[in-house]
Amino acid sequence: GDSVTQMEGPVTLSEEAFLTINCTYTATGYPSLFWYVQYPGEGLQLLLKATKADDKGSNKGFEATYRKETTSFHLEKGSVQVSDSAVYFCALRGNAGNMLTFGGGTRLMVKP
Amino acid sequence: NAGVTQTPKFQVLKTGQSMTLQCAQDMNHNSMYWYRQDPGMGLRLIYYSASEGTTDKGEVPNGYNVSRLNKREFSLRLESAAPSQTSVYFCASTPLAVGTDTQYFGPGTRLTVL
């Protein structure tokens, strides 16, 4: 079945540092890929998405590129802020067009 | 718009007790979902509802029942709570058919079963 693997956290960075959170997936066909973010005490919200190979999703300074050859969708940001502290989830929606499969989540802590 | 709302925010139960988690959305969405979130395991789908009057099992349905009361509301019931059901529960909705669009999440219910 489909699966998503994320790097385990927590990831602790200083403000303005470069961020990479790795995500790899296993799925048949051509899934859609997502990053969701969960701020403390809140539900998940969509951060960005990509629906086909080589697409780049971007939002709020975050980017991720759909790499089919490496089955990856790594999240990057050039300069993190304290307000980016949250849990980040990579997810995929399979070719059947149904449910989301989530990775285990990566907690990011940004220190001033 | 309030979006997706969930009640209660926190609940403590004893083993064997029952309770219903409530979820409502005011976005006129067709599809609704219940997930549980456990440390290191991401979110796992419990049940979903593609439209009013229909429900289907997800990945981890055992020990739960659901009701899609109307288009707005989708409740999750634990008939006899067990410690393994200690988790954070999220409700979500999408505007179109199941899986075809962005999911909007509620703030969650943190449940502890003693």
Side-chain angles (χ1 to χ4, degrees):
Chain A
D2 297 343
S3 67
V4 176
T5 302
Q6 290 181 236
M7 58 189 294
E8 289 194 20
V11 174
T12 303
L13 295 173
S14 297
E15 209 164 21
E16 299 184 2
F18 185 86
L19 168 71
T20 300
I21 299 178
N22 291 336
C23 171
T24 57
Y25 68 90
T26 301
T28 55
Y30 300 91
S32 295
L33 301 173
F34 305 82
W35 277 100
Y36 278 81
V37 59
Q38 183 181 28
Y39 297 105
E42 299 182 9
L44 281 70
Q45 52 187 275
L46 180 68
L47 180 60
L48 53 85
K49 66 180 181 181
T51 57
K52 60 182 187 297
D54 300 324
D55 267 3
K56 177 185 284 188
S58 61
N59 186 25
K60 299 182 181 180
F62 291 89
E63 293 183 339
T65 301
Y66 188 151
R67 301 285 189 200
K68 187 160 178 63
E69 64 276 14
T70 55
T71 61
S72 65
F73 192 54
H74 304 323
L75 183 68
E76 296 182 335
K77 186 175 186 183
S79 176
V80 294
Q81 305 301 312
V82 172
S83 58
D84 293 326
S85 298
V87 181
Y88 293 81
F89 291 92
C90 186
L92 70 82
R93 186 174 65 230
N95 229 23
N98 286 315
M99 304 311 117
L100 288 176
T101 299
F102 286 88
T106 302
R107 181 176 299 277
L108 170 66
M109 295 188 292
V110 181
K111 297 185 176 180
Chain B
N1 283 353
V4 180
T5 57
Q6 293 182 235
T7 55
K9 291 190 186 308
F10 302 94
Q11 183 71 50
V12 179
L13 294 178
K14 294 180 179 179
T15 297
Q17 288 184 316
S18 62
M19 79 161 294
T20 299
L21 282 64
Q22 306 288 353
C23 173
Q25 50 88 12
D26 62 359
M27 298 175 284
N28 201 35
H29 286 177
N30 288 329
S31 303
M32 297 184 74
Y33 311 77
W34 276 107
Y35 292 91
R36 59 178 289 171
Q37 181 184 25
D38 301 296
M41 300 185 71
L43 275 72
R44 292 181 292 168
L45 183 66
I46 305 171
Y47 271 94
Y48 65 98
S49 170
S51 61
E52 183 180 350
T54 69
T55 61
D56 285 285
K57 295 178 180 179
E59 181 185 355
V60 289
N62 291 346
Y64 305 95
N65 287 300
V66 291
S67 293
R68 183 75 182 268
L69 304 170
N70 47 55
K71 193 170 187 179
R72 289 187 65 248
E73 298 172 291
F74 187 38
S75 62
L76 178 72
R77 183 160 178 83
L78 287 69
E79 291 290 352
S80 179
S84 61
Q85 295 177 305
T86 294
S87 188
V88 181
Y89 292 85
F90 288 99
C91 178
S93 68
T94 58
L96 300 175
V98 166
T100 61
D101 210 328
T102 300
Q103 294 195 9
Y104 294 80
F105 285 81
T109 295
R110 184 174 295 275
L111 175 67
T112 301
V113 183
L114 302 175

